[in-house]
Amino acid sequence: MFSSISAYTLQSYHGKIYLWNSSHTDGPHLYSADSDGKNHKDLGALKIDNARGQGGVEASFISDNTAYVIAVAGISSLGYQYHRVYKRSIEAGAEAQLIFADEDEQSVEHRINQLRVDDGLVYFQDIAFYDGLDRLESRLYRYDPVKDELRNILTLTDKQIYYTVKDGMIYYSAFNYAEQSYEEICCYDPENDESTSFCSAGGLITWDGKNFVIEEFVNEEELMPSAVTFVSPDGEKVCEIAFSQLTYDPSFSGISMSESYVVTNTFDDSDNEIIRIFKKEDLLKGDLHFSELRYKMSYAN
C-alpha cells in the first residue's frame, strides 16, 4: 500500500502518524495511521497543477491540523524540476491551496527548501540560480496563515541561508559559495529589519528547546564536519565537541540531529555501516558514551 512513500515526510501528530505517498498519478496522497501502524487511511491527493505525474513531496510539516508542503510541481521548459509551496487540511478529501510559486519558474532554476513552522508561522527558503553558483539569490519567506500573508523577510546575494527560528527571531549562518565557508551566526529581527552578530561559530544551526546546536565545518580541500557546538540562548558557547570524537571515521561520515540526540554514521574497512547515537544531555556534560549499531552492507548483482 505504501509504495514510493516519502519517509522523510513522516510526522507524528496528535497520536497519529502521517506521511506522503507519491506513487499516484493524480499527485501525492497523504496517509495516516495509528501510532501502532494500524488503521491506514488515504486522506486524498495534493492536486498539483501541471505535475502530470511528476509531482512529489520534498518536505512537509503539520501544524494546527494543516499540512504545509514543498512539492515538485513539474518539469520546466529547461528540463529541471520546479517547486511550489502548498497547504491543505489533514481532513480526508481536503483541497490544497497554493501559497507560493515563482513567477519565473519556467525560465530560472529555483530550489525551495528548509521548511519550518514556529509559533504558527511558516518559513521557507527560495534560492534562485541566475548563473549557477556564480550568481544566485537566497530569499527567506514567512507565511502567516491567519492573515493569509506571505512576506519576503530576508534576502542574501551569492550566499545560502541556513537558519532556525526562536521567539520570532531568525538565527542564521550564511554559506559563502565563493569562499566555500559558513559565516558566523547572526540574529535577524524581521520586524525591525536588523541583523546583529550572535556568536562566533558558523554552520548548520538548530534550536532544541534549550540550546542552539551548530554543526561546524572546515574546508581542507573539501568541506568536512569539524565540530558540534552547543550555544546558550544569549550566544555563549556551552561546549564544543570535535567531530572526530563522535565518529569511527571522520573523513567519511555524516551527522544528523534531533531534539534529544546526535547521530553519526560512517563505514569501516569491511563495508559495515556504523551508526553512533549520542544523547545531547550526555554531550553537554562531557560524556561521550554512545549506543552503536552496525549493519553489513550487501550489493545485488
Side-chain angles (χ1 to χ4, degrees):
M1 180 178 183
F2 281 158
S3 60
S4 300
I5 64 173
S6 301
Y8 44 84
T9 70
L10 187 148
Q11 183 179 350
S12 177
Y13 181 74
H14 289 184
K16 289 185 175 294
I17 296 171
Y18 294 84
L19 53 78
W20 291 90
N21 180 330
S22 297
S23 64
H24 301 270
T25 57
D26 60 341
H29 279 229
L30 180 64
Y31 284 86
S32 70
D34 294 340
S35 57
D36 61 2
K38 298 179 180 178
N39 295 322
H40 297 170
K41 291 183 180 179
D42 183 347
L43 303 177
L46 180 74
K47 295 180 180 178
I48 302 173
D49 295 339
N50 303 320
R52 293 188 291 275
Q54 298 290 338
V57 172
E58 296 284 298
S60 176
F61 193 94
I62 299 173
S63 175
D64 295 330
N65 294 315
T66 301
Y68 297 93
V69 173
I70 297 174
V72 177
I75 304 296
S76 76
S77 58
L78 298 179
Y80 52 75
Q81 291 182 332
Y82 60 91
H83 304 86
R84 292 177 179 175
V85 183
Y86 297 83
K87 70 175 182 178
R88 60 151 284 183
S89 167
I90 59 175
E91 298 298 321
E95 292 293 320
Q97 175 186 337
L98 178 66
I99 294 176
F100 176 79
D102 283 294
E103 293 181 355
D104 58 358
E105 62 186 16
Q106 289 292 333
S107 58
V108 175
E109 184 178 2
H110 287 262
R111 287 291 179 266
I112 301 175
N113 56 27
Q114 295 188 67
L115 178 70
R116 310 270 190 271
V117 180
D118 182 76
D119 196 25
L121 299 175
V122 182
Y123 301 82
F124 58 90
Q125 178 181 221
D126 173 38
I127 308 174
F129 297 90
Y130 295 106
D131 189 16
L133 298 180
D134 294 327
R135 189 167 71 91
L136 58 90
E137 192 170 87
S138 298
R139 306 156 187 160
L140 184 62
Y141 285 89
R142 184 181 69 189
Y143 174 70
D144 185 334
V146 175
K147 298 179 181 179
D148 193 25
E149 178 183 84
L150 181 68
R151 178 183 164 196
N152 177 198
I153 58 174
L154 179 63
T155 299
L156 298 181
T157 301
D158 298 334
K159 298 175 183 179
Q160 183 169 349
I161 302 166
Y162 290 93
Y163 76 99
T164 191
V165 185
K166 177 182 178 296
D167 299 332
M169 306 293 280
I170 311 299
Y171 296 83
Y172 74 93
S173 176
F175 180 72
N176 188 314
Y177 280 97
E179 299 180 3
Q180 287 292 292
S181 63
Y182 290 87
E183 297 178 355
E184 295 181 353
I185 302 293
C186 289
C187 177
Y188 177 71
D189 181 349
E191 301 308 319
N192 297 313
D193 191 24
E194 293 179 350
S195 187
T196 57
S197 176
F198 179 66
C199 72
S200 59
L204 306 183
I205 181 171
T206 58
W207 167 252
D208 66 8
K210 296 180 180 179
N211 294 287
F212 293 97
V213 186
I214 302 167
E215 182 185 348
E216 296 191 67
F217 292 81
V218 63
N219 193 345
E220 295 178 348
E221 296 185 356
E222 62 179 312
L223 209 59
M224 299 289 293
S226 61
V228 173
T229 301
F230 292 82
V231 177
S232 70
D234 60 5
E236 296 296 322
K237 284 188 178 182
V238 178
C239 71
E240 180 178 312
I241 303 164
F243 186 62
S244 59
Q245 295 183 275
L246 301 176
T247 182
Y248 176 84
D249 181 4
S251 65
F252 185 69
S253 296
I255 185 169
S256 60
M257 287 180 277
S258 67
E259 183 173 334
S260 302
Y261 298 94
V262 173
V263 180
T264 64
N265 73 296
T266 189
F267 298 89
D268 63 16
D269 295 335
S270 300
D271 281 340
N272 293 304
E273 183 176 12
I274 303 172
I275 298 174
R276 291 182 175 178
I277 305 170
F278 300 82
K279 290 183 178 179
K280 282 184 178 178
E281 60 182 307
D282 290 342
L283 294 178
L284 282 165
K285 295 182 290 188
D287 182 356
L288 296 176
H289 173 79
F290 56 85
S291 298
E292 185 172 275
L293 303 173
R294 287 177 176 254
Y295 299 93
K296 180 67 177 178
M297 301 298 292
S298 61
Y299 303 93
N301 293 327

